[in-house]
Amino acid sequence: MDVTRKEDEFNLRELIKPYIKKWYWFFISVIITLALAILYIKYTTPIYMAQSSVLIKDAKKMSNASGDFGVLSGLGGFAGMGTNSIENELEIFKSKKIIEDVTKNLKLQVSIFSREKYHDVELYKDTNPFNVLVVNEKEDEALPTKPINIKIEGQKITLSSEELKKDIITTFDKTVSLPYANFIITKNQNYKPKKVKKLSLNDIYFTYSDFVGTVNGYQESVDVGLVDKDATVIGLSMAHANKDKSKDILNNLVDIYNEYAINDKNTESKKTKDFIDERIVLISKELGDVESDKERFKLDNDIIDIPSEAKLNMGIYNETRRRGIELETQIEVSRMLLSYIDNQTSTFQILPTNVGLDNPSATSNITAYNKLVMDRNRLLENATPENPLVKEVSKDLIGLRVAMRESLQQFITNLISTKNLNERENYRSDNEVKKVPGQEKLFRNIERQQQIKENLYLLLLQKREEAAISMAMSDNKARVVDHAYIMKNQVAPKKMISLLAALVIGSLIPFLFIYIKELLNNKLISKHDLEKLTTTPILSEIPRLYKRDGEIIKNNDVSPLAESFRILVTNLNFMLPKDRSAKTVFVTSTIKGEGKTFVSVNLALALASATKKVLVIGSDIRNPQLQRYNPAMKNVKGLSEYLYEEIENAKEIIHPSGYHPNCDFIYSGVIPPNPTDLLQNGRYSQLIDSVKDDYHFIILDTAPLMLVTDSFLISDTADATVYVTRSEVTQKDFINFANNNIDAAKIKNVGFVLNDVHKNNFGYGNKYGYGYQAEEKKWWQKIL
């Protein structure tokens, strides 16, 4: 297994270790929560779920026959004939009004119970020996918070409650006045004793709630929703302790809903029919007025059909325009010929033909004239102009030219007259065409009104027939798919869920407690906590001592305490120099109370042997602790007196420890006013030098580093430093302080010791014991 995998396994083990140590917390917590869950299940009234489902009929849009007038479906009078929005029906089932009627029908304001061994049982209908009816409520009176006990002895009825000043005695069928309402108690003729033979019925009481409170309560307890989002089936459900009561409430809810629907349908149908009859009369009159307007418009404008008239006038306009162009062309051609003829006064030349002149007479004359001109020209080829034949032809040409000129002038006059008539016709037809858009706009508006009135009239006739049919056919709006029934398993308390919840909560409580405790813990607990915070070696773990344990190790001691200090000695020897001079060990800590003196004394005893002598110097002259291991030496002179030069010879302040013949102590002596000055006057180094030849190890029990600077003044005399920390006392932040001093070389050759470690937090304590007689633990020993 590689280092990474070992480290991962180690981290996981450390993560779950706090929870494993407190396994009995989980066991006890789970037992308690399971016991509470069993009591809860036993003493809680069972709650059952009642369910019902109904199909809402005609939950669809209005038929297409309504055309564009589908907006009528939104009017109150058409609600029963138009759209039945399923969302609206859901809200009706949830409404306060329908719950109010259910409450009145089933008389739900009073509930009667029998106190039984484990929980109270509600008596309802044929399981109830009597009925408590509300006559009337008393307004502005405080409602009862305690039940009213009822005791029946023959005809005598006694009512009692913690809120009543005295018991009330009455009889059946008599009004009873309570502070908040008047009641009548009657015998239940439908009571069936066989149905309650398992109940004792020795202690019966009833509860009362005002009408508003009862309605609100049942409105919240009834759940309404769609069985499927694509269907119109509504599911009703209700959780209640009494099965018969919940079934009656759901069934009655559906019955009242259908009553509402039938009443609304009949009312709406009648109102709709009356409304339609009134509107038909009005629309019929308006339709007649529109048709009269249409007739008057046609007579006033002298038209039968606007499109046909417009087409005819447009044809006339185009024809007259074309004719005008032709006439203008004929006039210009005629004038051109006339000018050509006028230019031939002394000569005879051929006139142009086929120039587009629309005058057969002129065309024939031109043809005859041209023939005579050609005949004359042939005669002149063999004769002179004085030739009688030539003169005769010339005379005929002059006559024909005069005739042609008169004919053209008359033709031009006729053309101009025709042109003027054509222009007048063109202007008239143009005016008629220009009037068409306005006439069409007015006429279309009249036709639109006529069409609207006609459509509305036909729609109203259709709706009148529908309303008549609807009034004749009254059926339930909601068809029951499933009558109210009770689910097989109770909904509360759920036994398995309650037990599972108890198991989870029982495990979660100690887990959270331990987790929060570990999360908020800022102190060292185990060796692994220390290893995460420093790279400095950890020399040993010192086990926690209990009342039966000795605080000082003894000769041939195989206790866990002795073994831990032997481990400390072994690891410390690797840190000390190998020369033969005395080794000085500096024992310090961050704050007081971490066990410096305890470690110093036991370390000295572990080092001491028949061949090795050890000296412990109580160097904490501000707060001496070494004397507590030998109270008789409390007032002896010691280090302070030597540093103050009151004693010159160091041997005068060396005393036997009383625990080992080769272990001596130098006590701190009197507490001086200037300990810092004494520690830096040079006498301390002289003391170390003077005793080095007599001892193999010198243990310096010093003051805490964080609180005072005394220990830093003498730290250079040490060959090795044992830095004492204490489990569940030393804060993790203190290790940063120690690391900084180590990095700054204020203390040298340092090794940590973790003191007062609980046996469950030992690095190997869960698997192996201490001492040569220790054996590997069995699996069940590891758990315990």
Side-chain angles (χ1 to χ4, degrees):
M1 183 179 291
D2 59 24
V3 176
T4 303
R5 292 182 60 187
K6 287 182 179 179
E7 184 64 23
D8 292 340
E9 180 182 353
F10 170 80
N11 290 337
L12 178 61
R13 184 170 63 250
E14 289 303 310
L15 184 65
I16 64 175
K17 188 175 180 179
Y19 304 98
I20 296 177
K21 286 194 304 182
K22 302 293 184 182
W23 64 270
Y24 53 90
W25 286 16
F26 291 88
F27 179 76
I28 294 173
S29 178
V30 167
I31 293 299
I32 292 174
T33 52
L34 285 176
L36 292 175
I38 293 172
L39 291 175
Y40 166 74
I41 294 171
K42 197 70 174 177
Y43 286 93
T44 301
T45 303
I47 303 298
Y48 297 91
M49 179 65 71
Q51 290 187 339
S52 177
S53 57
V54 294
L55 171 66
I56 304 301
K57 300 178 182 178
D58 302 327
K60 57 185 179 181
K61 294 182 180 180
M62 294 179 67
S63 62
N64 293 331
S66 59
D68 294 334
F69 205 69
V71 71
L72 278 177
S73 62
L75 300 177
F78 293 90
M81 295 154 45
T83 301
N84 287 332
S85 170
I86 195 65
E87 288 78 11
N88 292 341
E89 307 308 314
L90 288 174
E91 293 304 319
I92 293 175
F93 272 108
K94 296 177 184 177
S95 67
K96 194 179 296 295
K97 179 65 173 65
I98 197 168
I99 300 297
E100 288 177 352
D101 289 346
V102 172
T103 302
K104 292 177 182 178
N105 286 352
L106 301 180
K107 301 176 177 59
L108 300 177
Q109 284 183 258
V110 176
S111 298
I112 302 173
F113 297 88
S114 173
R115 292 187 178 94
E116 299 299 325
K117 182 178 180 180
Y118 295 112
H119 52 77
D120 297 347
V121 177
E122 183 176 1
L123 306 177
Y124 177 73
K125 291 179 70 173
D126 53 5
T127 63
N128 186 21
F130 53 85
N131 296 319
V132 180
L133 307 177
V134 180
V135 177
N136 63 286
E137 297 180 353
K138 296 181 180 179
E139 296 181 359
D140 303 326
E141 295 292 339
L143 295 174
T145 58
K146 302 292 183 180
I148 299 96
N149 300 312
I150 183 168
K151 185 176 181 182
I152 300 176
E153 298 174 345
Q155 293 295 320
K156 179 182 176 182
I157 301 174
T158 303
L159 303 180
S160 61
S161 174
E162 296 178 12
E163 297 176 337
L164 296 177
K165 295 180 180 180
K166 62 178 182 178
D167 294 348
I168 298 176
I169 299 175
T170 183
T171 59
F172 287 107
D173 302 322
K174 183 179 179 181
T175 301
V176 180
S177 178
L178 293 179
Y180 31 80
N182 292 325
F183 300 91
I184 292 180
I185 302 175
T186 63
K187 291 183 178 181
N188 185 5
Q189 303 299 326
N190 298 321
Y191 173 57
K192 297 178 180 179
K194 291 183 179 181
K195 295 189 68 172
V196 291
K197 60 183 179 180
K198 294 182 180 181
L199 303 179
S200 60
L201 301 181
N202 295 325
D203 190 358
I204 297 177
Y205 67 90
F206 71 88
T207 60
Y208 163 78
S209 178
D210 65 321
F211 185 75
V212 175
T214 303
V215 171
N216 291 337
Y218 283 107
Q219 186 180 21
E220 293 176 0
S221 62
V222 175
D223 185 31
V224 182
L226 287 176
V227 173
D228 187 278
K229 65 179 182 179
D230 297 325
T232 59
V233 177
I234 294 177
L236 309 174
S237 61
M238 178 182 180
H240 199 272
N242 191 287
K243 301 178 182 179
D244 293 335
K245 191 172 189 177
S246 57
K247 288 166 60 177
D248 284 353
I249 290 174
L250 295 184
N251 289 331
N252 197 250
L253 195 65
V254 176
D255 293 340
I256 294 177
Y257 172 84
N258 282 326
E259 289 180 9
Y260 285 175
I262 292 173
N263 292 337
D264 290 345
K265 188 176 181 180
N266 291 338
T267 302
E268 290 172 357
S269 298
K270 186 176 184 308
K271 288 183 178 180
T272 300
K273 187 174 181 302
D274 295 341
F275 169 78
I276 291 174
D277 289 339
E278 294 176 0
R279 295 299 299 172
I280 284 177
V281 175
L282 179 61
I283 296 300
S284 178
K285 180 178 180 304
E286 292 177 352
L287 182 60
D289 293 340
V290 171
E291 290 178 343
S292 298
D293 292 341
K294 183 177 181 181
E295 180 186 10
R296 191 178 304 109
F297 179 84
K298 287 186 175 181
L299 292 174
D300 292 344
N301 290 274
D302 194 20
I303 58 175
I304 297 175
D305 182 59
I306 290 179
S308 300
E309 295 286 340
K311 184 177 181 181
L312 178 62
N313 288 321
M314 193 64 189
I316 294 173
Y317 171 77
N318 292 332
E319 180 64 24
T320 54
R321 185 178 180 184
R322 183 191 63 78
R323 180 62 179 164
I325 293 172
E326 291 178 355
L327 292 173
E328 188 70 30
T329 301
Q330 294 296 318
I331 290 172
E332 291 298 324
V333 171
S334 299
R335 286 176 178 173
M336 180 186 69
L337 288 173
L338 183 64
S339 175
Y340 192 82
I341 292 173
D342 289 342
N343 290 332
Q344 295 184 18
T345 56
S346 59
T347 61
F348 299 99
Q349 297 178 359
I350 294 174
L351 295 177
T353 59
N354 297 326
V355 292
L357 185 66
D358 189 15
N359 189 343
S361 175
T363 301
S364 62
N365 289 335
I366 291 172
T367 302
Y369 181 82
N370 290 337
K371 184 176 182 303
L372 289 175
V373 169
M374 288 186 293
D375 290 343
R376 182 177 178 276
N377 290 335
R378 282 194 301 271
L379 293 173
L380 287 175
E381 292 177 356
N382 300 313
T384 63
E386 297 299 327
N387 189 298
L389 292 175
V390 173
K391 286 184 178 182
E392 182 66 24
V393 172
S394 297
K395 181 179 179 180
D396 292 338
L397 286 172
I398 291 172
L400 187 58
R401 186 165 56 188
V402 171
M404 283 191 302
R405 189 175 184 281
E406 290 178 353
S407 176
L408 287 173
Q409 286 179 342
Q410 182 63 40
F411 183 63
I412 290 173
T413 300
N414 292 337
L415 287 176
I416 291 173
S417 176
T418 303
K419 176 185 175 183
N420 291 335
L421 291 174
N422 185 75
E423 287 180 348
R424 284 196 295 272
E425 182 64 21
N426 180 267
Y427 179 76
R428 184 195 68 78
S429 62
D430 182 50
N431 286 339
E432 292 295 326
V433 170
K434 289 180 178 179
K435 288 193 298 182
V436 169
Q439 291 175 343
E440 190 175 31
K441 178 180 179 181
L442 294 175
F443 189 72
R444 185 173 295 173
N445 184 49
I446 296 173
E447 281 192 326
R448 184 184 299 112
Q449 293 296 323
Q450 181 188 20
Q451 185 178 7
I452 291 173
K453 301 300 181 182
E454 285 180 351
N455 289 341
L456 185 57
Y457 183 76
L458 294 175
L459 175 65
L460 291 175
L461 290 177
Q462 176 186 349
K463 290 301 177 183
R464 182 169 66 178
E465 294 303 317
E466 290 179 0
I469 295 172
S470 179
M471 290 179 63
M473 299 175 62
S474 296
D475 193 11
N476 290 336
K477 187 175 184 180
R479 182 171 68 84
V480 177
V481 177
D482 288 316
H483 289 282
Y485 62 94
I486 302 298
M487 300 293 290
K488 181 178 180 181
N489 298 324
Q490 63 188 44
V491 296
K494 292 184 177 293
K495 297 180 181 179
M496 295 306 299
I497 293 178
S498 299
L499 294 175
L500 180 61
L503 185 63
V504 172
I505 294 172
S507 302
L508 194 61
I509 291 174
F511 174 83
L512 290 177
F513 182 82
I514 296 172
Y515 175 77
I516 294 173
K517 181 181 177 182
E518 291 293 321
L519 188 65
L520 299 178
N521 176 47
N522 65 341
K523 297 177 181 179
L524 297 178
I525 301 298
S526 67
K527 174 184 176 181
H528 306 293
D529 296 334
L530 187 55
E531 287 175 338
K532 296 175 183 177
L533 301 173
T534 184
T535 57
T536 303
I538 301 170
L539 302 178
S540 179
E541 298 173 273
I542 309 301
R544 178 169 298 176
L545 299 179
Y546 298 94
K547 292 182 179 180
R548 66 179 183 275
D549 299 327
E551 191 174 347
I552 300 298
I553 63 175
K554 302 173 183 179
N555 290 331
N556 301 319
D557 194 347
V558 293
S559 66
L561 179 65
E563 290 293 338
S564 66
F565 275 100
R566 290 191 185 101
I567 293 174
L568 173 59
V569 169
T570 301
N571 292 330
L572 183 61
N573 284 328
F574 287 105
M575 299 174 60
L576 294 172
K578 302 304 180 183
D579 55 35
R580 296 185 178 182
S581 61
K583 313 301 188 297
T584 304
V585 179
F586 191 82
V587 181
T588 187
S589 68
T590 307
I591 60 173
K592 67 177 183 177
E594 293 179 301
K596 298 182 303 300
T597 305
F598 167 75
V599 173
S600 299
V601 172
N602 284 287
L603 176 60
L605 294 174
L607 290 168
S609 65
T611 59
K612 294 182 180 180
K613 296 185 65 176
V614 182
L615 175 64
V616 179
I617 301 177
S619 302
D620 186 0
I621 57 178
R622 293 177 183 266
N623 183 26
Q625 293 294 321
L626 192 56
Q627 288 88 335
R628 66 188 175 89
Y629 289 94
N630 197 345
M633 307 299 288
K634 184 176 182 181
N635 296 320
V636 299
K637 294 182 179 181
L639 181 62
S640 296
E641 286 79 4
Y642 181 84
L643 296 177
Y644 196 64
E645 299 183 4
E646 182 179 334
I647 296 175
E648 291 294 335
N649 190 351
K651 292 183 179 180
E652 296 181 16
I653 59 173
I654 297 176
H655 303 279
S657 65
Y659 298 107
H660 194 283
N662 283 343
C663 180
D664 297 330
F665 289 168
I666 293 179
Y667 297 99
S668 302
V670 68
I671 299 175
N674 56 344
T676 303
D677 296 336
L678 292 178
L679 290 172
Q680 63 184 356
N681 64 6
R683 292 279 290 173
Y684 194 88
S685 297
Q686 293 178 15
L687 174 63
I688 299 298
D689 293 337
S690 64
V691 298
K692 275 189 174 182
D693 295 335
D694 299 326
Y695 294 94
H696 295 86
F697 297 96
I698 301 173
I699 309 299
L700 308 182
D701 180 25
T702 65
L705 296 180
M706 181 176 281
L707 303 180
V708 293
T709 62
D710 298 359
S711 299
F712 289 116
L713 300 176
I714 60 175
S715 63
D716 59 345
T717 62
D719 294 317
T721 301
V722 175
Y723 203 108
V724 180
T725 59
R726 187 170 182 177
S727 176
E728 301 179 17
V729 173
T730 303
Q731 296 184 15
K732 294 179 180 179
D733 294 341
F734 293 171
I735 306 305
N736 290 330
F737 171 79
N739 290 334
N740 293 335
N741 288 320
I742 294 170
D743 294 339
K746 293 182 179 181
I747 51 179
K748 58 185 179 180
N749 200 12
V750 181
F752 281 101
V753 170
L754 183 59
N755 184 30
D756 195 27
V757 181
H758 191 278
K759 62 181 180 180
N760 290 333
N761 295 321
F762 263 92
Y764 302 98
N766 288 338
K767 185 174 182 181
Y768 299 100
Y770 277 89
Y772 298 105
Q773 299 175 351
E775 297 179 356
E776 186 176 352
K777 295 181 180 181
K778 304 299 182 181
W779 65 269
W780 55 270
Q781 290 175 322
K782 296 176 185 178
I783 296 177
L784 296 176

